[in-house]
Amino acid sequence: MQLRSFVELGDLRGSMPASAVPAAPTFLNVSRRAFLEALGLSGAFVLATASAARAAETWPTGGDAMPHGLVIDPKVFVAIAPDGTVTITAHRSEMGTGVRTSLPMVLADEMGADWAKVKIIQAPGDEPTYGNQDTDGSRSMRHHIQSMRLMGAAVRMMLERAAAGAWGVPVERVEARVHEVVEKGGTRRAGYGELAKAAMDLPVPAIKDIVLKPESAFRYIGKGVPLYDMKAIVTGKAIYGTDVRLPGMLFAVAVRPPVYGGKVKSFDARAAKAVPGVVDVIEIPGTPEPAAFMPMGGVAVVAKTTWAALQGREKLKVEWDDGPNASYDSDAYRKRMSEIAARPGKVVRNQGDVEKALAAAAKVITAEYYQPHMAHATMEVPNATAVVKNGRCECWAPAQSPYAVRKDLAKFLGLDIKDVTVHVTLLGGGFGRKSKGDFAIEAAYLSKVLGGVPVQMMWTREDDIRHGYYHTTSVERIEAGIDDKGKVIAWRHRSVAPTILSTFAPAEYQFPIELGMGLVDNPFDIPNIRCENGPIKNHVRIGWFRSVSNIPRAFAVQCFVAELAHALGRDHKEFLLELIGPPRKLDPLEMGIEGELWNYGDPYEVFPIDTGRLRAVVELACEKAGWGRRMPPRSGLGLAVHRSFLTYVASVAEVVVEKDGTVRIPRIDTAVDCGFPANPERIAAQFEGAAVMGMTLCFHSAVTFKNGRAEQSNYHDYEMVRMTNFPREVRVHIVPHRYTTPATGVGEPGVPPIAPAIANAIFAATGKRIRELPIDTRLLREA
Amino acid sequence: MAIGFRLNGREVRVDAPGDMPILWALRDILNLTGTKYGCGIGACGACTIHLDGKAVLACVVRLQEVAGREVTTIEGLDPDGNHPVQRAWAQLGVPQCGYCQTGQIMRAAALLAEKKNPTDAEIDEAMAVNICRCGCYQRIHAAVRLAATGV
Ligand code: FES
Ligand code: FES
């Protein structure tokens, strides 16, 4: 058996001229796969089947249970060239977290590679070969740090065995160092390139026989390496979806139904077709609601340049049949959510007896929190390029879940999945929007209609804001019963929000994934807790947005805690710690949760709700922020803590509220416990960015609807935090852990605590209570 | 009618309508994709290039306006990434997704060409044109400062 033969692929990002097509090495892996299958070996290294006999220091994760699970086969992920170049395949999508660097870094360290000699290539969407590729849910490091180490260690052992074989000594006598194997106590040494061929002829060790290096020998893991794509990014050579260029390609934009579920009644393309450069005007078939990831339909203008397509689109006359969502009105909808939240809903957690405790309480405090829809507004708009001809589809897309896109393409085009290829470019931001492949299907459809001409479909920013998979809008209503000693004895939390599920099937109640994001997993040490969910129908596509339901939940719960502390004359931090209670691991069976607690898809025994860790991040953030320090007038500190995606995060925001209501944020201190921090510098970057995104959603983010139509359309009315007013200094404090504390993800969990921390700081500064997002700063003007 | 101008130090002629924003001429005709589309209305800075050394927004500058003038895109700033701004960006690990960064770098380079050592407020004001959805502002600010004071 041999490792896949090495083919010089070139540095995809670094050396490719802008006009080139990102060549993906699909064929290598496909042929590799076929080879394994012929030997009856495919799947031999799938961790899911290797139960008991694993290397030491491993733990189960939800990675096994993901579609196509984990593949632990160095032959799929690693190639070594005779010149020593090590090529590692990145199978997760890079959207800004650094995962394209961090996972290969783990593998490279474990195999003893010199990072300077590592090349990274991007896998196409092919989960049977690479295992799950759905880059979402802050899962990449959590699910793959172990598989990367196992593969790296396997390659290192093969190289050592090859050297021992060549020198005729027992393997104990040799040792891998950096990019070479040396003879212990001897003088012989051989570089990885020299040994590659012989190593490739050796069998891959069984997982149970793989020996990981000791933590003390880590060179990159836990320390970090520079971003692999850095040079390509700063020189403009990095290839995002919009940068794919194919010979003879055409550019398309489209108009889509202004109301979700609407249809094209008729259209007049004559004026559009008369625009110089316009090649064709093509109707894209819609999909009946709920459309999942299928296109919403509309009319596309295909042209020689994007500009011609845009001009053609201006001239297009389309009549729409708006359908039943034409009355969607955000103000009316908000009132409805509020009414529903005032009534009992479906009980999703029932611990103790809330009704009785509320009746017996000396005092009941109630508050309701609101958040509107938000659009992802990834800096790179949704887009894809496709060629569909001769019964095959080849697509280039900034896809978070390339295999899902591939499956949807096959379904829509009626092709066998084997005849569909999805190449993954860099993503100019994802945030959940690019988990959905509707834009790729549009591109493919147009190419097919045009007989196989390559077509790039680009959404304009207006399309992106008006036709998003929006973050849900929600009302969270919380009531707390307090006894005569000032202890919280009852907590009733009602959540009303259109559900993500409604994008896939008619649904009015939230599903366990949404309920598990800050509602039923509430960690407070309160004897009587009841969570309810009231029904409401969606009128737009509901998607997931970086950290999902945790945003409104953390906002409501963490602001409400501050309100209670104030009402009771308590210090917010002390009161919060009292609510969290003593350090312990919560037992979901004692929490009264209906059905099973959704623990982000990972085993609860490995990743329990640990209030000790929750307390510790509160203490750390407060200590670093100087909690309790005296603040000047109209300045304040605000605190919030939230566990999401199995990561514990507390933030303390310092705000200054100017006379005109402008809120400035001189500093945010964020404490993070994400288990073992594999790449601390990139972790810090994620939390710095999350502070900015949190501030944006605090002050700017609202997509509102009138007559079923989105009222916002571009960055002028869907603003972002800019350098004129941004969190001046974000200090990220990472809780140190050994490797054996399982790493969790960091892409999302930084967002939820920011808005409540800011809102609580504004209260401290002004005495004005914030209960809705985005914050109307006019209300904060000095009287 | 072809429109001629200097692009990254070389004469080019582009056969396209004069009212076409230069963004699309660069990206779709000249295949220089380092200049990005983010909004198309002059509201995000992703398309920042230099026109006669000054930062402009390629999505709102028409092709006819650049006739006979000097255009520099990220591809022409320093292809090896050795411009002080690029080096500062790499040193401080500024990019996350990276998509906005070519525009950020072009704006920072134009700022520093004009003012050797800008104040914090001047950095804020110049860079506020450019959105970074990933939220790299803290590092962008620090990198502009680093580039100004010498890498
Ligand atoms: S694309 Fe030109 S400013 Fe946004
Ligand atoms: S780095 Fe992603 S938008 Fe700036």
Side-chain angles (χ1 to χ4, degrees):
Chain A
M1 196 150 86
Q2 60 174 47
L3 272 177
R4 84 181 190 218
S5 62
F6 183 83
V7 171
E8 182 58 61
L9 293 156
D11 182 347
L12 269 188
R13 308 286 152 194
S15 62
M16 184 164 58
S19 58
V21 178
T26 333
F27 63 94
L28 273 183
N29 296 309
V30 167
S31 61
R32 178 69 238 153
R33 183 80 194 158
F35 177 64
L36 282 175
E37 264 162 13
L39 289 175
L41 286 172
S42 68
F45 304 98
V46 174
L47 184 58
T49 58
S51 49
R54 297 235 194 110
E57 294 193 344
T58 65
W59 52 86
T61 71
D64 299 323
M66 293 297 292
H68 299 102
L70 299 168
V71 167
I72 305 185
D73 183 353
K75 298 171 182 221
V76 169
F77 284 87
V78 188
I80 307 173
D83 71 353
T85 303
V86 170
T87 302
I88 301 175
T89 300
H91 70 304
R92 311 287 288 180
S93 298
E94 181 59 84
M95 63 189 110
T97 61
V99 70
R100 205 173 112 86
T101 300
S102 301
L103 288 180
M105 170 195 87
V106 171
L107 194 159
D109 187 345
E110 187 66 51
M111 76 172 269
D114 174 359
W115 187 249
K117 299 191 177 111
V118 171
K119 281 190 175 179
I120 295 172
I121 57 173
Q122 189 70 34
D126 185 4
E127 292 190 357
T129 299
Y130 300 102
N132 186 268
Q133 294 179 274
D134 181 5
T135 316
D136 209 306
S138 301
R139 284 187 294 247
S140 292
M141 193 52 77
R142 186 166 100 220
H143 288 174
H144 298 276
I145 190 170
Q146 298 184 88
S147 55
M148 292 296 140
R149 284 197 71 193
L150 287 168
M151 288 191 286
V155 175
R156 170 174 38 77
M157 290 167 71
M158 289 156 77
L159 289 158
E160 285 174 337
R161 285 173 191 174
W167 298 332
V169 298
V171 74
E172 294 72 34
R173 295 279 311 282
V174 307
E175 180 178 41
R177 297 259 175 87
V178 180
H179 232 85
E180 63 174 0
V181 179
V182 300
E183 186 184 8
K184 288 185 201 164
T187 55
R188 286 182 285 195
R189 54 205 316 135
Y192 277 7
E194 268 173 77
L195 294 168
K197 174 80 178 69
M200 284 168 183
D201 289 338
L202 294 170
V204 176
I207 285 174
K208 68 174 172 40
D209 299 325
I210 294 175
V211 183
L212 300 174
K213 57 156 77 164
E215 203 174 326
S216 57
F218 287 170
R219 290 171 302 126
Y220 308 133
I221 304 171
K223 299 180 169 71
V225 293
L227 211 56
Y228 182 74
D229 296 300
M230 181 64 80
K231 188 173 174 193
I233 288 171
V234 302
T235 54
K237 291 187 188 106
I239 300 296
Y240 299 85
T242 48
D243 303 330
V244 172
R245 292 291 174 268
L246 300 170
M249 74 188 277
L250 297 175
F251 299 84
V253 295
V255 278
R256 297 176 184 78
V259 176
Y260 175 48
K263 289 190 211 46
V264 176
K265 214 192 275 172
S266 65
F267 67 98
D268 180 348
R270 279 168 300 178
K273 280 187 177 165
V275 170
V278 169
V279 173
D280 209 345
V281 173
I282 297 166
E283 183 175 351
I284 301 175
T287 314
E289 181 190 350
F293 300 162
M294 291 294 153
M296 47 189 358
V299 182
V301 180
V302 189
K304 295 216 168 95
T305 62
T306 310
W307 174 242
L310 286 167
Q311 293 224 298
R313 188 171 81 160
E314 290 283 306
K315 299 267 159 61
L316 208 53
K317 288 189 201 74
V318 185
E319 265 200 79
W320 303 100
D321 175 355
D322 284 343
N325 293 318
S327 59
Y328 188 36
D329 178 293
S330 292
D331 293 336
Y333 197 75
R334 176 181 180 174
K335 277 203 202 88
R336 251 203 9 260
M337 288 196 291
S338 205
E339 282 159 21
I340 295 166
R343 302 194 293 263
K346 184 167 106 181
V347 177
V348 291
R349 175 175 172 187
N350 200 13
Q351 170 188 320
D353 189 337
V354 158
E355 301 295 339
K356 210 165 118 195
L358 282 172
K363 193 171 179 182
V364 174
I365 296 177
T366 305
E368 187 184 293
Y369 300 86
Y370 168 75
Q371 202 211 294
H373 289 297
M374 301 191 296
H376 304 79
T378 54
M379 209 69 220
E380 178 201 29
V381 286
N383 73 89
T385 307
V387 181
V388 180
K389 66 174 173 196
N390 305 331
R392 281 195 47 84
C393 169
E394 191 162 18
C395 177
W396 291 259
Q400 281 181 244
S401 188
Y403 194 67
V405 173
R406 188 172 157 198
K407 279 196 295 190
D408 281 347
L409 281 168
K411 188 168 130 199
F412 189 90
L413 298 168
L415 295 176
D416 191 302
I417 194 155
K418 282 200 199 72
D419 296 321
V420 178
T421 304
V422 175
H423 305 286
V424 183
T425 64
L426 290 179
L427 284 67
F431 313 127
R433 173 61 184 95
K434 290 172 184 166
S435 300
K436 296 95 173 171
D438 52 336
F439 46 87
I441 296 170
E442 291 174 344
Y445 178 75
L446 295 174
S447 175
K448 183 180 169 180
V449 170
L450 291 166
V453 180
V455 175
Q456 179 166 93
M457 163 55 75
M458 191 193 83
W459 286 40
T460 62
R461 179 62 59 202
E462 288 81 3
D463 303 336
D464 175 48
I465 306 286
R466 287 181 185 145
H467 306 292
Y469 282 89
Y470 300 104
H471 174 76
T472 193
T473 174
S474 80
V475 162
E476 308 283 323
R477 183 185 203 269
I478 313 179
E479 292 155 87
I482 294 148
D483 71 9
D484 50 12
K485 291 184 207 70
K487 273 202 88 63
V488 180
I489 53 168
W491 179 278
R492 181 163 62 196
H493 183 160
R494 289 187 184 138
S495 174
V496 179
T499 170
I500 287 169
L501 213 53
S502 63
T503 296
F504 304 92
E508 301 197 353
Y509 288 100
Q510 297 174 46
F511 71 138
I513 288 181
E514 290 163 313
L515 299 173
M517 292 188 177
L519 183 66
V520 302
D521 54 330
N522 181 314
F524 291 159
D525 188 17
I526 298 171
N528 306 289
I529 296 180
R530 171 125 107 186
C531 302
E532 298 172 17
N533 171 212
I536 193 152
K537 188 188 162 351
N538 68 303
H539 297 290
V540 293
R541 302 191 294 187
I542 306 294
W544 44 99
F545 178 109
R546 189 181 187 183
S547 84
V548 204
S549 307
N550 288 296
I551 295 172
R553 300 279 166 58
F555 176 62
V557 171
Q558 296 299 310
C559 286
F560 191 60
V561 169
E563 293 203 31
L564 293 179
H566 181 76
L568 296 170
R570 301 280 307 277
D571 170 70
H572 179 192
K573 177 197 160 197
E574 292 312 317
F575 183 71
L576 174 60
L577 289 175
E578 183 182 300
L579 277 184
I580 293 170
R584 67 205 184 282
K585 294 187 176 75
L586 297 189
D587 181 349
L589 295 177
E590 287 174 4
M591 291 163 73
I593 295 168
E594 295 295 318
E596 229 177 285
L597 168 67
W598 187 73
N599 198 43
Y600 296 90
D602 272 53
Y604 192 82
E605 321 76 70
V606 182
F607 301 96
I609 300 171
D610 183 336
T611 57
R613 291 171 75 176
L614 199 63
R615 294 178 66 95
V617 289
V618 171
E619 297 280 9
L620 181 59
C622 286
E623 180 208 316
K624 299 290 184 183
W627 183 258
R629 68 188 142 107
R630 280 197 86 77
M631 301 297 289
R634 288 181 72 80
S635 296
L637 297 179
L639 165 66
V641 66
H642 193 71
R643 170 189 181 266
S644 68
F645 302 90
L646 315 175
T647 296
Y648 303 82
V649 186
S651 290
V652 174
E654 178 183 338
V655 307
V656 179
V657 184
E658 293 180 350
K659 281 201 173 72
D660 69 353
T662 303
V663 178
R664 299 208 171 266
I665 304 182
R667 191 166 131 190
I668 290 179
D669 283 90
T670 292
V672 181
D673 181 345
C674 56
F676 174 70
N679 192 353
E681 187 272 338
R682 281 297 99 184
I683 293 170
Q686 281 305 294
F687 287 88
E688 291 164 19
V692 174
M693 187 172 270
M695 184 178 174
T696 291
L697 68 89
C698 219
F699 294 106
H700 303 298
S701 304
V703 180
T704 54
F705 290 82
K706 278 269 175 302
N707 300 319
R709 288 151 169 83
E711 294 185 288
Q712 292 74 25
S713 64
N714 205 323
Y715 288 130
H716 66 289
D717 54 12
Y718 187 74
E719 253 293 359
M720 302 282 124
V721 157
R722 291 167 185 266
M723 207 178 275
T724 30
N725 187 7
F726 70 108
R728 215 64 239 181
E729 189 184 1
V730 182
R731 303 186 189 188
V732 181
H733 313 285
I734 302 170
V735 176
H737 281 291
R738 301 281 309 276
Y739 175 77
T740 42
T741 303
T744 57
V746 296
E748 294 165 273
V751 176
I754 299 298
I758 293 172
N760 291 338
I762 290 173
F763 179 79
T766 64
K768 296 253 168 55
R769 208 37 104 178
I770 308 293
R771 287 182 179 162
E772 82 176 70
L773 296 175
I775 297 168
D776 183 351
T777 56
R778 289 170 307 185
L779 305 174
L780 306 177
R781 285 178 189 154
E782 202 164 37
Chain B
M1 234 243 322
I3 294 168
F5 57 99
R6 273 182 83 75
L7 175 61
N8 297 331
R10 266 189 261 164
E11 296 294 335
V12 293
R13 296 190 74 74
V14 179
D15 193 8
D19 65 347
M20 177 188 281
I22 186 172
L23 172 65
W24 303 116
L26 291 169
R27 293 185 51 82
D28 297 352
I29 298 173
L30 297 160
N31 282 340
L32 292 183
T33 55
T35 305
K36 306 298 188 200
Y37 166 84
C39 71
I41 60 165
C44 79
C47 63
T48 304
I49 57 169
H50 297 172
L51 180 59
D52 293 336
K54 297 253 183 304
V56 296
L57 300 170
C59 70
V60 292
V61 171
R62 315 254 162 198
L63 204 44
Q64 65 213 14
E65 295 171 57
V66 310
R69 298 170 74 182
E70 175 92 43
V71 172
T72 308
T73 67
I74 186 72
E75 289 88 351
L77 186 69
D78 186 325
D80 296 323
N82 285 324
H83 186 283
V85 171
Q86 290 167 317
R87 284 162 59 196
W89 246 245
Q91 193 177 326
L92 296 186
V94 172
Q96 287 182 33
C97 82
Y99 187 83
C100 74
Q101 300 297 346
T102 52
Q104 307 275 5
I105 288 168
M106 292 306 282
R107 184 157 307 276
L111 169 69
L112 296 182
E114 203 173 308
K115 289 202 172 76
K116 281 217 151 20
N117 204 356
T119 63
D120 281 347
E122 283 167 342
I123 295 175
D124 288 354
E125 200 195 318
M127 301 305 298
V129 178
N130 290 47
I131 292 172
C132 175
R133 182 56 158 157
C134 296
C136 305
Y137 299 122
Q138 179 173 332
R139 295 194 197 202
I140 290 171
H141 192 102
V144 176
R145 169 71 53 238
L146 179 62
T149 52
V151 182

